Amino acid sequence: MLEGLHPNRPTHVFRITTDERSARAMTDLIGEIFDPAETAVAAFETEEDGPWLLEAYFSHQPNEVAIRNLVRPIVGAEADKGVFLPLEQKDWVKASLEGLKPVRAGRILVHGSHDRFQRRSNDIAIEIEAGLAFGTGHHGTTLGCLRAFVDELKIRTPRHVLDVGTGTGILAFAAAKVLKRPVVAGDIDPEAVRVAKENARLNGIGPWMRLYVGPGTRSAEAERPGHFDLVFANILAKPLRILAPSLARVASNDGTLILSGLLAHDVPGVLSAYAHQGWYLQRRYDLDSWVALVLKRGSARPQPRHSTLQTYSARTPG
């Protein structure tokens, strides 16, 4: 999913079925043009090797003609077949996790209640009920972050963790369960934070969660310069670039940033924004066209060749 800075109380959705190339092109176009605090866009395969569905959510009634004209150069006359629908708040909440399939990264397993039987005795299981929050349609982003976290644990054990744009809370929950320590997590949407609290109680980690409502690090819990030795930000390319100074500020000197919500062509711009803050790329995870980045603080260093970076297929079992 593109978890994170999704619209606050979305009211309308635009849906169009197309091919993968067009879906990805429209995802990028809409994501770059519209304010990420008021619009969210996602595209996903409706069945294996089948058509793709693009969904764009808006916090206000959109200009239908303008949006059709925007995507027309990509899909041609198919733009007129896209549908605009009003969206009830409860429909938005319910739509978030429908169709959630178990996601595994090492011992970490994210699942719905209907997949409890897939848990193993030594799993670190995170149960997310369908209908509790926005977002896990794109497992490549969340899975990339989880795999990056699992690999980070092979190197060091973080003590202070921040999850910016927590959405459902999956990344924060994984950190809290593995580390058995309090984790700070925030989201711009009050409903997302309410739901994250509910999810935390469901998973028995309510006392470990320090949740806040606000954009980026704008909270007394999060705005702690040099405090966090692990920061997750699974959002979108544009807000990741904007947040570079604030995420760099709250990270410790030996800290790690795990960033996702990116398509491959977003990576250079995001790396450039963080390089200006003194961060370099340590590892990269590619999953079904989505990318997760692991950054470390330090002087400019040669970028590793792509072949040496850690890459994964989203269809490969964790």
Side-chain angles (χ1 to χ4, degrees):
M1 141 107 249
L2 298 182
E3 269 110 0
L5 301 178
H6 47 81
N8 190 7
R9 297 181 179 85
T11 61
H12 291 77
V13 60
F14 169 63
R15 294 191 176 106
I16 185 170
T17 300
T18 184
D19 60 90
E20 178 180 358
R21 182 197 63 80
S22 298
R24 294 195 182 282
M26 287 189 290
T27 298
D28 179 53
L29 181 62
I30 295 173
E32 286 295 323
I33 288 179
F34 290 94
D35 184 345
E38 297 185 353
T39 306
V41 60
F44 51 91
E45 198 174 26
T46 56
E47 57 186 76
E48 188 169 355
D49 298 323
W52 281 58
L53 176 65
L54 177 135
E55 295 183 329
Y57 293 88
F58 302 90
S59 60
H60 305 287
Q61 184 169 358
N63 184 325
E64 298 183 13
V65 173
I67 291 172
R68 291 189 198 279
N69 288 337
L70 180 67
V71 302
R72 200 178 304 279
I74 299 173
V75 296
E78 295 297 309
D80 296 321
K81 296 183 180 180
V83 296
F84 289 85
L85 299 170
L87 189 65
E88 297 294 334
Q89 182 67 23
K90 67 177 183 180
D91 291 336
W92 167 259
V93 173
K94 182 179 179 182
S96 59
L97 298 179
E98 288 179 345
L100 173 67
K101 296 179 181 178
V103 173
R104 177 178 292 280
R107 291 174 54 208
I108 300 172
L109 179 71
V110 183
H111 65 89
S113 59
H114 55 289
D115 282 315
R116 288 175 183 167
F117 68 92
Q118 297 208 31
R119 293 184 297 197
R120 303 169 186 167
S121 59
N122 66 337
D123 275 346
I124 298 168
I126 300 169
E127 183 171 313
I128 304 293
E129 277 292 352
L132 286 187
F134 178 81
T136 52
H138 288 86
H139 298 316
T141 58
T142 302
L143 183 54
C145 290
L146 289 174
R147 284 179 166 166
F149 177 52
V150 169
D151 287 343
E152 186 70 11
L153 292 172
K154 298 173 184 175
I155 303 170
R156 64 206 293 266
T157 301
R159 291 179 55 80
H160 304 291
V161 178
L162 171 65
D163 181 14
V164 175
T166 193
T168 58
I170 288 174
L171 300 177
F173 298 168
K177 283 202 165 192
V178 170
L179 302 172
K180 295 181 171 55
R181 295 183 58 84
V183 172
V184 177
D187 199 284
I188 197 171
D189 187 351
E191 178 66 9
V193 172
R194 182 194 68 78
V195 164
K197 290 179 180 178
E198 189 171 342
N199 279 333
R201 288 193 294 270
L202 175 67
N203 285 274
I205 53 174
W208 286 345
M209 299 309 301
R210 306 289 186 264
L211 291 158
Y212 67 89
V213 177
T217 61
R218 293 185 191 174
S219 160
E221 292 275 11
E223 190 55 73
R224 303 178 67 181
H227 180 72
F228 297 98
D229 51 358
L230 177 61
V231 178
F232 292 107
N234 182 16
I235 42 181
L236 295 167
K238 183 177 180 180
L240 279 177
R241 294 194 301 267
I242 294 171
L243 288 172
S246 58
L247 296 189
R249 184 170 58 252
V250 301
S252 64
N253 287 334
D254 62 345
T256 300
L257 303 180
I258 297 179
L259 313 178
S260 193
L262 306 172
L263 295 171
H265 66 262
D266 296 323
V267 171
V270 170
L271 289 180
S272 176
Y274 285 83
H276 280 89
Q277 303 299 323
W279 293 78
Y280 69 93
L281 176 65
Q282 184 184 66
R283 301 193 302 278
R284 167 175 171 161
Y285 299 74
D286 290 72
L287 296 100
D288 194 23
S289 298
W290 296 102
V291 182
L293 306 174
V294 178
L295 306 185
K296 293 286 187 177
R297 195 190 296 274
S299 59
R301 306 187 184 187
Q303 292 298 317
R305 294 180 182 272
H306 188 81
S307 60
T308 67
L309 299 177
Q310 300 198 31
T311 60
Y312 299 86
S313 166
R315 293 179 182 173
T316 300

